[in-house]
Every structure is written in structure tokens, then in C-alpha cells.
């Protein structure tokens, strides 16, 4: 029995061995059939199993990525909710695509495009007190210029180049993780612009820190250098000051009328040290709001006030390039001074429906003093009468062409006789009452004609001058219109005696002259361009002759730009004096629109602000250029054949 049992086990082992050999043979035969590309019944089933395995692996991988996105989104929920919504949208999109039965290579391609590694936002450190935050700001500022102390930057002019802006301080704080920088959004929406954003608590600390620094020193230490440059500065709002620790001070008293050229409608106090100012629009024309000139009284010694001018009608302004308002005091300083550029901010304000707002700080240092603020140097109708009543003008013939609607004189000055056989030159200014630089240029030109230097010029030609075409608008403090809300510089084609009295009288006088004007200059000021330049009428035959006088003026005065002088045939300016007298009526051989900037002129890559004296020097140099033009006719013939003028259109 034992031998039979042993033989039975041996037989069983033998059967197992033969079955294994047969299985191996079948496996080799299956591999052989696959290598020969022959059909096999189980091949389709095996491929389906492989595919299911790949999908199970990809689902696991996709779930890990989805969880990763959820975790990252929860980390930045308080920093940028808009970016969070975009990421959630991408998660939902990925879930839809991952549910499709697709090859693993396709899912991997989707994952790399949707969930590329993003910059990790650093977590904020623990909250700091305002005093600690202010000390951090000061230390970050010192780190940018370690050789100079915080106070020396305020007092030493040679250290202006070491002053850093608020953006530099913010960048230092970013490195120390005191404030957050929001992540980059979609390229289609904001083109990868990176901006900084703080939460509410940190923003409050930032404002309190800035106010504590500003109370301890001058505000110039946190801002840009005062040198004006043509590159556009950063258009950011000013740091808000907090004066909660100070006792309540009396409110300021504003006055925007009662004196010539004054313009301020009303002031809205936001606090005792912050005001919204609203300009009065031109009379019967609500679309013109740019000129301002107002007085402030009632300030205490050392009081710092933040003013916001909130209703400008023009968006393109020289304030974006460093221009700042002017100020003077009634008793101590009789001359106008320009405010530091570092105290002025020009930006879009969300609090005022995203309109452009000019904000500037004022530090009142004198008690019981009246401060005046203006857009540019004021020049009133009374100032003109003082000039004309000067004894140097005794030999000049004054003619009242007409009277304005408010019974003011429109005067014409005669330097020579119109019946003499000499060329006649005519100049007009102040057709736009807010363009006060034109009156200063005219003032300088008249003073040149009254000097002995202009004797030879008056022997060769007759000069006629209308120094102020719109005295009513000047007295009312308008920017562009007369007392009826009409832009007189668009009324030259069809002026009427009832609505545009000065233009009607001057045009009829020019057309009644015994001969054609040789030159005509209409002097203006420009609110969006630097330097002084001229607009020239198009002339197909003798275009180069129009650029002879501008080239002479550019040689004599650095503030005049020959490169900015160009031919202007804008159809919207068909009603101007230059187009009507030079083109339509053919009443002047050469007609120019003389433009000078409200701000300054280019010199060595910088923009130097104009002063009252420099405006008047521009007028004197215009007279000297005319003297050279008429005394040297060979110069004219020489440049008439030249081809070196820039005749590019506007």
C-alpha cells in the first residue's frame, strides 16, 4: 500500500510538471503568433485591460493634482479672490476632461498646460504695531543709501539723487514679507502686469506708519527728486495721513471769487486736514474746467493739509510729467513759487468714479496769512492796464477797437503807421483767458518794442498789437470761453457782433487794411506739450519760407523747439485765426499759432519749469528774430533754397 501511495504521488507530480510544460508551450506559441502579426482571440481583451490600468493610474494622479490646486487656492483666498475664481474654473474644466476615457499621454499634456508650477505666495509674519512698522520703513529706506542719514536727505540738496520713492520701500518690504505681492493673472486680461496688494490690517498699518514718518520730518524724504523730467512719473495716489492724535482745528476758509481770474466753485471738507476742491466751469459752458486760482486762510502754524482737485475736464495733462501748482502768500512772499514735485500726485481716483485727480500737500507755516494757489502765473486785465499806463508807452498810439459785453476795452496798439509803405506785422493774445503765459510773452514783446533795441525794426515795418482779445473771460476766471460760453478762437470764420464782439471788430479791421499783413501771430499756451513751438499753415508752393522765422527764434532762445514746430491742417481748427487769415481770407502772407507750454521746456533730457521772466524773454527774442529777419534778406534767400527743414505734419 505504501508503494502504491508513493507511485500515486509521483504520478501526480508528473502531471503537474507536464501541465506546466504545456502552459509554457502555449505561452511561447502566443508570443510566436503575436510576432508573426497573426490574429489571436484574447488580444483585444488584453489591450482593454491595459487601457483600464492606465486610466486608473491617471485618475489617481489627477486626484492628487486637484487636491493640490484646492490647497493652493485656500492659501491665497484672502489675497486675490479674482485669481482664485480663475483657478476654480480651471479645476472644473480639468475634472470634465479627466472624466473622458482618453490615453494617458493626452491627460499629461492637459496637466502640464493647466497646472504649471506657480510662484508660492509667502505667508505674512505676525502683525506689527504702527511704531514698529514705521521703524521698518525707515530702516528699509536707510538700506538704499547707507552713507546718508534719514535727516540729511531732507536738508542737503546734493543728496537728491539718493531719494527713493514709495515703490522702492514697498519692494524692500516685499523682501521682508511684510506685505504681499499678488500673483500674476491671465495674460489675456492684464498682460502679466504685477501689482502689489495688502490686506486691510496691513494697509491700515502702512498708512499709520507713513503718517508717523511724515509728522516727524518733511514729506520729500519719501518721494521723487524735484527735478522735472519728460518721462511720465508713476501715477499713484498720495499716502493718506492720519491726524487722530491731534486736536480738532478750525476749518479753512476758501475764496475763489472777488478778484480777477479767480476760479473755485466750492470745497468739501473730508476732515480738518483734507479737502475735495471743485473748479467752477466756464460761464455757460460746463465742458471747460482746467484753470484754478483761489485763496486759503485760517490755517494754524505747522498745519499740514491735503487738497484734491477732483473735476478736471482734460485727462491729458502736464501733471503726469512733473508739473505742479503755483503758490504765494499775501504778505510775506510777493512772487509766485512752484510747489515741490514730490508733494503733488496725479492719478485716477476710485473714490471719484475713476476720474483724474490732482492731490497736493500744503504745509502752512505762517499764522494769519492768506495763501494763493494757481494753475499757472495769473495775468489779469488790471495787470495789462498797468503796463499800458506806463510812461514808456507814452509814444505808442492806443486805439479802442470796441468794448466787450461787460464794457471792457479791446485795445489796439500802433507801433508805426498803417499807411506807410512798410510791411505790417500783427500780434494777438489771450483769446483763451486761462492761457496766461501768452500775456507774459506779449508783455516781453511790448517791452522790447519800447526799448532802443527795436528802433531799427520799427523803421523797417509797422507792428499792430491786440494784447487781450477776451477781457471778460479773464476777469471771470474762465479757461477758454467768453461770458456767453463761446470759444472765440473757433469764431473767426463767421463772427457776430452780438456773440463774438472782439473777433468781429479785429477781423473787420484786418480786412480794411490798405495792404495784406506780412506776418500774423496768435499767441497761446499749451496744456499737454513742453517747450514753445509754432503751428504753420500748409503751403504747397512756398512751404519752406514759413520755417525761416521759427529757425531764427530757435537759435536765439533755448526754450523754443524747432522740432515741435510743424504744419497743422487739422479740420477742427478751421475756425482759428491762423487758418482763416492765412488760408481762407488770404489776409496774411505768413500766419502762425505761437504755443508756449504751461509747464516748462526741454533741456538736456530734462524739463525745466518756465518762470515769468523766461516767458517774457521768449517775447523779447521773438522781436529780435523779427529784427534779424527783416534786416538780412540774404538770409531769407539762402534758406529759401535749402531743404533742411522738418515739414512733418502733425
Amino acid at each position: 500500500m505504501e508503494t502504491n501511495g508513493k507511485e500515486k504521488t509521483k504520478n501526480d507530480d508528473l502531471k503537474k510538471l507536464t501541465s506546466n510544460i504545456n502552459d509554457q508551450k502555449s505561452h511561447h506559441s502566443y508570443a510566436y503568433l503575436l510576432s508573426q502579426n497573426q490574429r489571436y482571440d484574447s488580444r483585444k481583451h488584453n489591450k482593454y485591460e491595459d487601457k483600464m490600468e492606465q486610466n486608473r493610474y491617471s485618475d489617481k494622479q489627477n486626484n492628487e493634482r486637484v487636491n493640490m490646486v484646492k490647497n493652493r487656492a485656500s492659501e491665497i483666498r484672502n489675497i486675490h479672490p479674482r485669481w482664485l475664481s480663475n483657478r476654480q474654473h480651471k479645476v472644473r474644466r480639468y475634472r470634465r476632461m479627466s472624466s473622458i476615457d482618453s490615453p494617458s499621454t493626452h491627460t499629461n499634456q492637459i496637466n502640464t498646460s493647466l497646472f504649471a508650477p506657480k510662484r508660492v505666495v509667502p505667508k505674512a509674519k505676525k502683525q506689527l504695531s504702527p511704531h514698529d512698522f514705521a521703524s521698518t520703513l525707515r530702516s528699509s529706506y536707510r538700506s538704499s543709501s547707507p552713507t546718508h542719514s534719514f535727516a540729511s536727505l531732507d536738508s542737503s540738496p546734493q543728496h537728491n539723487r539718493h531719494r527713493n520713492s514709495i515703490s522702492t520701500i514697498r519692494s524692500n518690504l516685499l523682501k521682508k514679507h511684510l506685505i504681499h505681492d499678488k500673483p500674476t493673472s491671465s495674460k489675456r486680461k492684464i498682460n502679466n502686469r504685477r501689482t502689489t496688494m495688502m490686506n486691510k490690517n496691513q494697509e491700515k498699518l502702512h498708512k499709520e506708519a507713513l503718517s508717523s514718518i511724515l509728522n516727524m520730518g518733511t514729506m520729500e524724504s519719501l518721494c521723487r527728486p524735484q527735478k522735472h523730467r519728460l518721462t511720465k512719473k508713476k501715477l499713484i495716489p498720495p499716502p493718506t495721513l492720519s491726524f487722530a492724535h491731534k486736536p480738532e482745528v478750525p476749518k479753512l476758509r476758501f475764496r475763489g471769487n472777488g478778484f480777477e481770474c479767480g476760479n473755485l466753485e466750492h470745497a468739501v471738507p473730508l476732515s480738518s486736514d483734507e479737502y475735495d476742491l471743485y473748479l467752477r466751469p466756464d460761464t455757460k459752458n460746463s465742458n471747460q474746467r482746467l484753470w484754478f486760482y483761489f485763496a486759503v486762510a485760517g490755517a494754524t502754524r505747522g498745519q499740514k493739509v491735503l487738497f484734491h482737485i477732483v473735476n478736471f475736464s482734460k485727462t491729458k495733462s502736464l501733471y503726469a510729467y512733473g508739473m505742479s501748482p503755483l503758490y504765494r502768500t499775501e504778505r510775506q512772499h510777493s512772487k509766485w513759487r512752484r510747489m515741490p514735485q514730490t508733494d503733488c500726485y496725479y492719478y485716477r481716483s476710485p473714490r471719484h468714479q475713476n476720474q483724474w485727480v490732482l492731490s497736493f500737500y500744503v504745509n502752512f507755516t505762517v499764522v494769519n496769512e492768506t495763501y494763493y494757489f494757481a494753475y499757472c502765473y495769473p495775468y489779469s486785465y488790471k495787470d495789462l492796464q498797468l503796463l499800458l499806463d506806463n510812461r514808456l508807452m507814452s509814444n505808442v498810439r492806443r486805439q479802442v477797437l470796441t468794448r466787450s459785453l461787460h464794457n471792457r476795452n479791446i485795445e489796439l496798439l500802433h507801433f508805426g503807421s498803417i499807411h506807410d509803405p512798410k510791411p505790417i506785422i500783427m500780434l494777438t493774445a489771450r483769446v483763451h483767458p486761462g492761457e496766461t503765459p501768452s500775456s507774459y510773452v506779449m508783455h516781453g514783446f511790448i517791452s522790447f518794442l519800447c526799448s532802443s533795441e527795436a528802433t531799427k525794426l520799427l523803421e523797417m515795418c509797422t507792428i499792430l498789437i491786440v494784447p487781450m482779445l477776451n477781457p471778460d473771460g479773464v476777469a471771470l476766471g474762465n479757461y477758454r470761453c467768453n461770458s456767453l460760453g463761446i470759444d472765440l478762437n473757433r469764431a473767426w470764420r463767421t463772427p457776430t457782433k452780438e456773440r463774438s464782439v472782439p473777433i468781429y471788430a479785429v477781423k473787420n479791421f484786418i480786412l480794411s487794411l490798405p495792404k495784406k499783413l506780412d506776418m500774423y501771430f496768435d499767441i497761446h499756451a499749451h496744456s499737454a506739450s513742453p517747450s514753445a513751438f509754432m503751428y504753420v499753415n500748409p503751403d504747397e508752393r512756398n512751404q519752406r519760407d514759413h520755417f525761416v522765422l521759427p529757425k531764427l527764434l530757435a537759435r536765439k532762445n533755448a526754450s523754443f523747439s524747432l522740432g515741435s514746430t510743424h504744419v497743422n491742417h487739422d479740420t477742427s481748427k478751421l475756425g482759428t485765426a491762423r487758418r482763416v487769415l492765412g488760408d481762407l481770407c488770404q489776409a496774411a502772407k505768413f500766419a502762425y499759432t505761437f504755443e508756449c507750454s504751461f509747464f516748462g521746456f526741454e533741456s538736456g533730457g530734462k524739463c525745466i519749469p518756465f518762470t515769468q521772466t523766461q516767458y517774457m524773454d521768449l517775447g523779447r527774442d521773438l522781436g529780435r528774430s523779427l529784427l534779424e529777419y527783416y534786416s538780412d534778406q540774404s538770409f531769407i534767400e539762402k534758406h529759401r533754397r535749402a531743404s533742411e527743414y522738418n515739414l512733418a505734419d502733425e
Side-chain angles (χ1 to χ4, degrees), residues 296-512:
V296 180
T300 60
R301 185 188 300 273
Q303 182 180 359
K304 294 179 181 178
V305 182
L306 179 60
F307 292 134
H308 309 282
I309 300 179
V310 300
N311 64 334
F312 283 122
S313 59
K314 282 190 174 182
T315 57
K316 187 177 180 182
S317 175
L318 288 169
Y319 286 123
Y321 295 91
M323 181 177 168
S324 58
L326 297 165
Y327 76 98
R328 72 174 179 90
T329 55
E330 192 172 36
R331 291 182 298 177
Q332 285 196 345
H333 304 289
S334 59
K335 294 184 179 180
W336 287 95
R337 299 183 179 183
R338 194 173 291 277
M339 297 185 64
Q341 180 189 354
T342 55
D343 293 346
C344 302
Y345 300 83
Y346 189 67
Y347 59 99
R348 286 189 181 273
S349 174
R351 190 165 60 89
H352 302 93
Q353 291 78 41
N354 209 28
Q355 294 181 353
W356 287 98
V357 172
L358 172 67
S359 300
F360 56 95
Y361 290 100
V362 180
N363 188 1
F364 295 96
T365 57
V366 184
V367 184
N368 298 326
E369 179 64 281
T370 302
Y371 286 77
Y372 289 88
F373 301 91
Y375 180 78
C376 194
Y377 304 102
Y379 195 100
S380 63
Y381 178 75
K382 183 180 179 180
D383 295 333
L384 175 64
Q385 297 304 313
L386 291 175
L387 171 66
L388 299 182
D389 293 339
N390 195 313
R391 61 183 180 85
L392 296 176
M393 300 286 296
S394 58
N395 297 327
V396 180
R397 177 173 168 247
R398 296 170 61 179
Q399 176 188 357
V400 179
L401 276 179
T402 184
R403 291 185 179 275
S404 66
L405 296 175
H406 290 186
N407 203 26
R408 293 183 176 88
N409 292 339
I410 310 295
E411 295 196 50
L412 174 65
L413 308 180
H414 293 257
F415 291 86
S417 175
I418 59 175
H419 301 288
D420 293 340
K422 296 185 296 185
I424 301 175
I425 304 171
M426 189 168 185
L427 296 89
T428 59
R430 211 62 183 278
V431 66
H432 293 148
E435 297 177 356
T436 56
S438 62
S439 287
Y440 284 99
V441 174
M442 185 66 78
H443 189 118
F445 186 78
I446 293 174
S447 63
F448 169 78
L449 294 180
C450 294
S451 65
S452 58
E453 192 177 358
T455 304
K456 188 177 179 181
L457 175 62
L458 296 178
E459 291 176 356
M460 293 184 294
C461 58
T462 299
I463 298 178
L464 306 173
I465 295 176
V466 182
M468 191 171 287
L469 280 170
N470 193 352
D472 290 349
V474 171
L476 292 172
N478 291 349
Y479 168 61
R480 198 173 179 88
C481 302
N482 66 351
S483 58
L484 296 179
I486 299 172
D487 187 351
L488 295 180
N489 199 38
R490 298 296 186 269
W492 282 87
R493 295 183 69 180
T494 55
T496 61
K497 194 174 183 179
E498 294 77 17
R499 297 172 61 83
S500 52
V501 182
I503 306 303
Y504 179 83
V506 172
K507 183 179 180 181
N508 287 340
F509 173 79
I510 293 174
L511 296 179
S512 64

Side-chain angles (χ1 to χ4, degrees), residues 169-201:
I169 297 176
R170 283 186 175 183
S171 63
N172 293 334
L173 293 176
L174 282 172
K175 295 177 183 178
K176 299 180 181 182
H177 308 318
L178 291 175
I179 59 176
H180 286 307
D181 191 12
K182 71 178 182 180
T184 306
S185 183
S186 175
K187 292 183 179 179
R188 294 170 297 180
K189 294 185 178 180
I190 60 172
N191 297 325
N192 274 342
R193 295 178 184 174
R194 295 186 178 182
T195 56
T196 57
M197 181 177 181
M198 298 181 293
N199 57 31
K200 294 182 180 180
N201 295 330

